[in-house]
Amino acid sequence: MFNSLPWLASIPSLWLQIGIVGVWLGIIVLLAESLHRYTATDPERVRKVVHIGTGNVILFAWWFNLPAWLGITASILASAVALISYKFPILPGINSVGRQSFGTFFYALSIGILVGWFWYLHQPQYAAIGILVMTWGDGLAALIGQRFGKHPYMVWDSKKSWEGSIAMAVVSYVITSLILFGVEGNIWQTWVVSLAVALAATGLESFSKLGIDNFTVPIGSAAVCFFLMQIL
């Protein structure tokens, strides 16, 4: 199902496809900076707007069948910009979270690694699973945990909530099962592997010191999904 989207395949020009992705990213960054500059929106929520919005470019890359070199190059450039922005306020709306975190850098780095890994294997669905589990699962877990988290727990010096962790597990399961169902169909492995991915992603997200979960969650989720599907 997800590998057959004729209206997307009918867009002939690589530059036009890149332009569509660029416009999407521009809208997300502009929205985040506008919220940061002109509203009283909490910086963490602004960052999650970017977190959730930009991660969806993996779907454009998959459906457009963009070349791997393009995704890897974009990842390198985004990683460099992220590192520079920690020193200079290039995009304060993205990095102003009120705590030390290298999450933006790890975010960009993980996308490049997953594109390089699974585009080479001609199985981009696993890259999409890893990125979207991080994008939606981790993003919504943080927002729900902040808004509804009434039952906190501590991992190292990081405060989490059971409400946020449950949200992470549920969203991760839904995303993984939808993608596997679209690619593999209604087989028992779709539902079992999705559960394993959800549990792994939730566990990895709990250990999120300095934003490292933006690396461990997507890489770990994609790896668990890929290897279990090969074994089962």
Side-chain angles (χ1 to χ4, degrees), residues 26-69:
I27 291 172
I28 297 301
V29 173
L30 180 61
L31 175 61
E33 287 302 304
S34 297
L35 290 172
H36 173 70
R37 292 176 183 273
Y38 304 116
T39 72
T41 305
D42 181 75
E44 184 69 29
R45 294 186 180 183
V46 173
R47 185 170 177 268
K48 291 308 177 184
V49 169
V50 179
H51 184 96
I52 293 173
T54 57
N56 291 296
V57 298
I58 194 66
L59 293 175
F60 289 107
W62 177 14
W63 294 339
F64 286 154
N65 195 27
L66 295 177
W69 66 264

Side-chain angles (χ1 to χ4, degrees), residues 162-224:
W162 286 108
E163 290 82 359
S165 294
I166 291 172
M168 177 72 184
V170 171
V171 174
S172 299
Y173 180 82
V174 170
I175 288 171
T176 306
S177 60
L178 283 175
I179 293 177
L180 289 181
F181 178 77
V183 174
E184 304 291 346
N186 186 19
I187 57 176
W188 67 267
Q189 290 92 337
T190 292
W191 316 112
V192 172
V193 171
S194 295
L195 179 60
V197 171
L199 294 175
T202 303
L204 290 169
E205 193 273 336
S206 297
F207 297 90
S208 56
K209 194 177 183 67
L210 299 178
I212 191 65
D213 56 322
N214 280 359
F215 183 83
T216 58
V217 168
I219 300 297
S221 299
V224 167

Side-chain angles (χ1 to χ4, degrees), residues 93-145:
I94 296 177
N95 290 321
S96 299
V97 296
R99 56 183 168 80
Q100 186 179 15
S101 173
F102 295 98
T104 306
F105 168 72
F106 288 130
Y107 190 113
L109 180 63
S110 66
I111 292 177
I113 292 174
L114 289 177
V115 168
W117 183 1
F118 291 109
W119 256 245
Y120 174 77
L121 296 177
H122 304 289
Q123 299 194 69
Q125 66 270 23
Y126 295 109
I129 286 171
I131 297 302
L132 292 179
V133 163
M134 172 186 65
T135 296
W136 287 98
D138 180 62
L140 291 178
L143 294 176
I144 291 174

Side-chain angles (χ1 to χ4, degrees), residues 138-172:
D138 180 62
L140 291 178
L143 294 176
I144 291 174
Q146 290 174 9
R147 179 66 179 83
F148 302 104
K150 305 298 183 182
H151 301 87
Y153 65 93
M154 296 291 295
V155 178
W156 291 335
D157 58 348
S158 180
K159 184 179 179 180
K160 299 291 181 177
S161 73
W162 286 108
E163 290 82 359
S165 294
I166 291 172
M168 177 72 184
V170 171
V171 174
S172 299

